[in-house]
mmCIF file of all heavy atoms in Angstrom:
data_model
loop_
_atom_site.group_PDB
_atom_site.id
_atom_site.type_symbol
_atom_site.label_atom_id
_atom_site.label_comp_id
_atom_site.label_asym_id
_atom_site.label_seq_id
_atom_site.Cartn_x
_atom_site.Cartn_y
_atom_site.Cartn_z
ATOM 1 N N GLU E 122 8.115 24.522 5.039
ATOM 2 C CA GLU E 122 8.631 24.007 6.312
ATOM 3 C C GLU E 122 10.029 24.532 6.633
ATOM 4 O O GLU E 122 10.310 24.884 7.766
ATOM 5 C CB GLU E 122 8.605 22.467 6.283
ATOM 6 C CG GLU E 122 7.153 21.949 6.274
ATOM 7 C CD GLU E 122 6.996 20.488 5.828
ATOM 8 O OE1 GLU E 122 7.909 19.684 6.065
ATOM 9 O OE2 GLU E 122 5.938 20.172 5.236
ATOM 10 N N LYS E 123 10.894 24.586 5.628
ATOM 11 C CA LYS E 123 12.272 25.024 5.901
ATOM 12 C C LYS E 123 12.380 26.550 5.905
ATOM 13 O O LYS E 123 12.887 27.141 6.853
ATOM 14 C CB LYS E 123 13.196 24.422 4.836
ATOM 15 C CG LYS E 123 14.629 24.368 5.250
ATOM 16 C CD LYS E 123 15.397 23.368 4.420
ATOM 17 C CE LYS E 123 16.857 23.359 4.816
ATOM 18 N NZ LYS E 123 17.696 22.771 3.779
ATOM 19 N N VAL E 124 11.879 27.166 4.825
ATOM 20 C CA VAL E 124 11.999 28.628 4.724
ATOM 21 C C VAL E 124 10.867 29.306 5.509
ATOM 22 O O VAL E 124 11.046 30.386 6.072
ATOM 23 C CB VAL E 124 11.959 29.067 3.236
ATOM 24 C CG1 VAL E 124 12.090 30.572 3.111
ATOM 25 C CG2 VAL E 124 13.056 28.365 2.444
ATOM 26 N N GLY E 125 9.688 28.681 5.511
ATOM 27 C CA GLY E 125 8.577 29.222 6.300
ATOM 28 C C GLY E 125 7.799 30.341 5.627
ATOM 29 O O GLY E 125 7.250 31.216 6.297
ATOM 30 N N VAL E 126 7.692 30.318 4.289
ATOM 31 C CA VAL E 126 6.823 31.312 3.634
ATOM 32 C C VAL E 126 5.391 30.768 3.600
ATOM 33 O O VAL E 126 5.189 29.557 3.615
ATOM 34 C CB VAL E 126 7.301 31.646 2.187
ATOM 35 C CG1 VAL E 126 8.630 32.354 2.218
ATOM 36 C CG2 VAL E 126 7.347 30.407 1.304
ATOM 37 N N PRO E 127 4.382 31.668 3.566
ATOM 38 C CA PRO E 127 2.996 31.192 3.555
ATOM 39 C C PRO E 127 2.632 30.485 2.242
ATOM 40 O O PRO E 127 3.029 30.935 1.165
ATOM 41 C CB PRO E 127 2.161 32.467 3.716
ATOM 42 C CG PRO E 127 3.089 33.609 3.749
ATOM 43 C CD PRO E 127 4.489 33.132 3.621
ATOM 44 N N THR E 128 1.894 29.393 2.345
ATOM 45 C CA THR E 128 1.410 28.650 1.177
ATOM 46 C C THR E 128 -0.031 28.230 1.471
ATOM 47 O O THR E 128 -0.512 28.420 2.585
ATOM 48 C CB THR E 128 2.220 27.348 0.935
ATOM 49 O OG1 THR E 128 2.007 26.474 2.053
ATOM 50 C CG2 THR E 128 3.709 27.617 0.777
ATOM 51 N N THR E 129 -0.687 27.612 0.488
ATOM 52 C CA THR E 129 -1.987 26.998 0.775
ATOM 53 C C THR E 129 -1.760 25.847 1.758
ATOM 54 O O THR E 129 -0.667 25.295 1.832
ATOM 55 C CB THR E 129 -2.606 26.409 -0.507
ATOM 56 O OG1 THR E 129 -1.621 25.589 -1.152
ATOM 57 C CG2 THR E 129 -3.078 27.495 -1.466
ATOM 58 N N ARG E 130 -2.834 25.465 2.503
ATOM 59 C CA ARG E 130 -2.736 24.255 3.330
ATOM 60 C C ARG E 130 -2.508 23.070 2.404
ATOM 61 O O ARG E 130 -3.015 23.050 1.287
ATOM 62 C CB ARG E 130 -4.048 24.005 4.092
ATOM 63 C CG ARG E 130 -4.266 24.876 5.306
ATOM 64 C CD ARG E 130 -5.378 24.282 6.182
ATOM 65 N NE ARG E 130 -6.610 24.041 5.433
ATOM 66 C CZ ARG E 130 -7.503 24.985 5.149
ATOM 67 N NH1 ARG E 130 -7.303 26.240 5.527
ATOM 68 N NH2 ARG E 130 -8.600 24.677 4.472
ATOM 69 N N TYR E 131 -1.764 22.071 2.858
ATOM 70 C CA TYR E 131 -1.461 20.946 1.960
ATOM 71 C C TYR E 131 -1.188 19.677 2.747
ATOM 72 O O TYR E 131 -0.941 19.718 3.959
ATOM 73 C CB TYR E 131 -0.234 21.274 1.097
ATOM 74 C CG TYR E 131 1.033 21.450 1.914
ATOM 75 C CD1 TYR E 131 1.901 20.374 2.125
ATOM 76 C CD2 TYR E 131 1.322 22.669 2.508
ATOM 77 C CE1 TYR E 131 3.041 20.533 2.908
ATOM 78 C CE2 TYR E 131 2.461 22.824 3.288
ATOM 79 C CZ TYR E 131 3.318 21.756 3.478
ATOM 80 O OH TYR E 131 4.431 21.904 4.259
ATOM 81 N N ALA E 132 -1.276 18.556 2.033
ATOM 82 C CA ALA E 132 -0.882 17.257 2.587
ATOM 83 C C ALA E 132 -0.454 16.396 1.405
ATOM 84 O O ALA E 132 -0.728 16.752 0.252
ATOM 85 C CB ALA E 132 -2.042 16.629 3.332
ATOM 86 N N PHE E 133 0.215 15.282 1.681
ATOM 87 C CA PHE E 133 0.658 14.392 0.603
ATOM 88 C C PHE E 133 -0.039 13.048 0.725
ATOM 89 O O PHE E 133 -0.414 12.639 1.830
ATOM 90 C CB PHE E 133 2.178 14.190 0.663
ATOM 91 C CG PHE E 133 2.946 15.486 0.636
ATOM 92 C CD1 PHE E 133 3.652 15.923 1.755
ATOM 93 C CD2 PHE E 133 2.946 16.281 -0.503
ATOM 94 C CE1 PHE E 133 4.346 17.119 1.743
ATOM 95 C CE2 PHE E 133 3.643 17.489 -0.526
ATOM 96 C CZ PHE E 133 4.344 17.905 0.593
ATOM 97 N N ALA E 134 -0.204 12.364 -0.410
ATOM 98 C CA ALA E 134 -0.856 11.054 -0.375
ATOM 99 C C ALA E 134 -0.299 10.163 -1.466
ATOM 100 O O ALA E 134 -0.050 10.624 -2.587
ATOM 101 C CB ALA E 134 -2.361 11.223 -0.569
ATOM 102 N N SER E 135 -0.095 8.869 -1.138
ATOM 103 C CA SER E 135 0.470 7.937 -2.120
ATOM 104 C C SER E 135 -0.466 6.785 -2.466
ATOM 105 O O SER E 135 -0.099 5.909 -3.242
ATOM 106 C CB SER E 135 1.796 7.372 -1.608
ATOM 107 O OG SER E 135 2.692 8.429 -1.391
ATOM 108 N N ASP E 136 -1.651 6.737 -1.840
ATOM 109 C CA ASP E 136 -2.660 5.752 -2.255
ATOM 110 C C ASP E 136 -4.046 6.317 -1.919
ATOM 111 O O ASP E 136 -4.157 7.391 -1.321
ATOM 112 C CB ASP E 136 -2.416 4.380 -1.592
ATOM 113 C CG ASP E 136 -2.413 4.455 -0.070
ATOM 114 O OD1 ASP E 136 -3.207 5.251 0.498
ATOM 115 O OD2 ASP E 136 -1.632 3.731 0.566
ATOM 116 N N GLU E 137 -5.088 5.553 -2.285
ATOM 117 C CA GLU E 137 -6.461 6.054 -2.109
ATOM 118 C C GLU E 137 -6.773 6.367 -0.644
ATOM 119 O O GLU E 137 -7.421 7.367 -0.332
ATOM 120 C CB GLU E 137 -7.485 5.036 -2.643
ATOM 121 C CG GLU E 137 -7.715 5.102 -4.132
ATOM 122 C CD GLU E 137 -6.843 4.131 -4.915
ATOM 123 O OE1 GLU E 137 -5.800 3.669 -4.385
ATOM 124 O OE2 GLU E 137 -7.208 3.838 -6.075
ATOM 125 N N GLU E 138 -6.324 5.470 0.232
ATOM 126 C CA GLU E 138 -6.582 5.615 1.665
ATOM 127 C C GLU E 138 -5.971 6.926 2.199
ATOM 128 O O GLU E 138 -6.639 7.723 2.862
ATOM 129 C CB GLU E 138 -5.954 4.385 2.366
ATOM 130 C CG GLU E 138 -6.340 4.189 3.799
ATOM 131 C CD GLU E 138 -7.846 4.221 4.007
ATOM 132 O OE1 GLU E 138 -8.566 3.566 3.216
ATOM 133 O OE2 GLU E 138 -8.297 4.924 4.939
ATOM 134 N N GLU E 139 -4.704 7.128 1.858
ATOM 135 C CA GLU E 139 -4.025 8.358 2.291
ATOM 136 C C GLU E 139 -4.681 9.583 1.664
ATOM 137 O O GLU E 139 -4.755 10.650 2.279
ATOM 138 C CB GLU E 139 -2.544 8.323 1.889
ATOM 139 C CG GLU E 139 -1.710 7.430 2.773
ATOM 140 C CD GLU E 139 -0.235 7.391 2.340
ATOM 141 O OE1 GLU E 139 0.210 8.302 1.600
ATOM 142 O OE2 GLU E 139 0.451 6.445 2.741
ATOM 143 N N ALA E 140 -5.145 9.431 0.422
ATOM 144 C CA ALA E 140 -5.777 10.561 -0.265
ATOM 145 C C ALA E 140 -7.042 10.979 0.485
ATOM 146 O O ALA E 140 -7.304 12.174 0.651
ATOM 147 C CB ALA E 140 -6.095 10.202 -1.711
ATOM 148 N N ARG E 141 -7.804 9.990 0.939
ATOM 149 C CA ARG E 141 -9.026 10.324 1.693
ATOM 150 C C ARG E 141 -8.676 11.112 2.955
ATOM 151 O O ARG E 141 -9.290 12.126 3.273
ATOM 152 C CB ARG E 141 -9.787 9.044 2.060
ATOM 153 C CG ARG E 141 -11.149 8.936 1.358
ATOM 154 C CD ARG E 141 -11.996 7.821 1.920
ATOM 155 N NE ARG E 141 -11.268 6.568 2.042
ATOM 156 C CZ ARG E 141 -11.132 5.681 1.048
ATOM 157 N NH1 ARG E 141 -11.687 5.905 -0.125
ATOM 158 N NH2 ARG E 141 -10.441 4.568 1.231
ATOM 159 N N ARG E 142 -7.658 10.620 3.641
ATOM 160 C CA ARG E 142 -7.248 11.297 4.878
ATOM 161 C C ARG E 142 -6.731 12.715 4.579
ATOM 162 O O ARG E 142 -7.087 13.682 5.247
ATOM 163 C CB ARG E 142 -6.143 10.473 5.565
ATOM 164 C CG ARG E 142 -6.291 10.450 7.071
ATOM 165 C CD ARG E 142 -5.232 9.589 7.735
ATOM 166 N NE ARG E 142 -5.085 8.268 7.142
ATOM 167 C CZ ARG E 142 -3.917 7.660 6.900
ATOM 168 N NH1 ARG E 142 -2.780 8.273 7.169
ATOM 169 N NH2 ARG E 142 -3.864 6.449 6.366
ATOM 170 N N ALA E 143 -5.900 12.806 3.536
ATOM 171 C CA ALA E 143 -5.291 14.102 3.184
ATOM 172 C C ALA E 143 -6.366 15.125 2.794
ATOM 173 O O ALA E 143 -6.319 16.283 3.220
ATOM 174 C CB ALA E 143 -4.295 13.918 2.054
ATOM 175 N N CYS E 144 -7.346 14.686 1.997
ATOM 176 C CA CYS E 144 -8.391 15.611 1.549
ATOM 177 C C CYS E 144 -9.217 16.099 2.730
ATOM 178 O O CYS E 144 -9.572 17.277 2.816
ATOM 179 C CB CYS E 144 -9.312 14.948 0.524
ATOM 180 S SG CYS E 144 -8.498 14.640 -1.052
ATOM 181 N N LYS E 145 -9.527 15.180 3.649
ATOM 182 C CA LYS E 145 -10.318 15.581 4.833
ATOM 183 C C LYS E 145 -9.537 16.583 5.676
ATOM 184 O O LYS E 145 -10.075 17.560 6.177
ATOM 185 C CB LYS E 145 -10.619 14.341 5.686
ATOM 186 C CG LYS E 145 -11.930 13.688 5.309
ATOM 187 C CD LYS E 145 -12.419 12.870 6.482
ATOM 188 C CE LYS E 145 -13.194 11.665 6.019
ATOM 189 N NZ LYS E 145 -13.200 10.557 6.945
#
Side-chain angles (χ1 to χ4, degrees):
E122 292 163 31
K123 201 160 178 199
V124 180
V126 293
T128 64
T129 50
R130 283 196 306 279
Y131 64 94
F133 305 112
S135 300
D136 58 36
E137 277 94 340
E138 192 51 46
E139 284 179 19
R141 246 191 312 274
R142 219 178 311 138
C144 291
K145 269 202 212 154

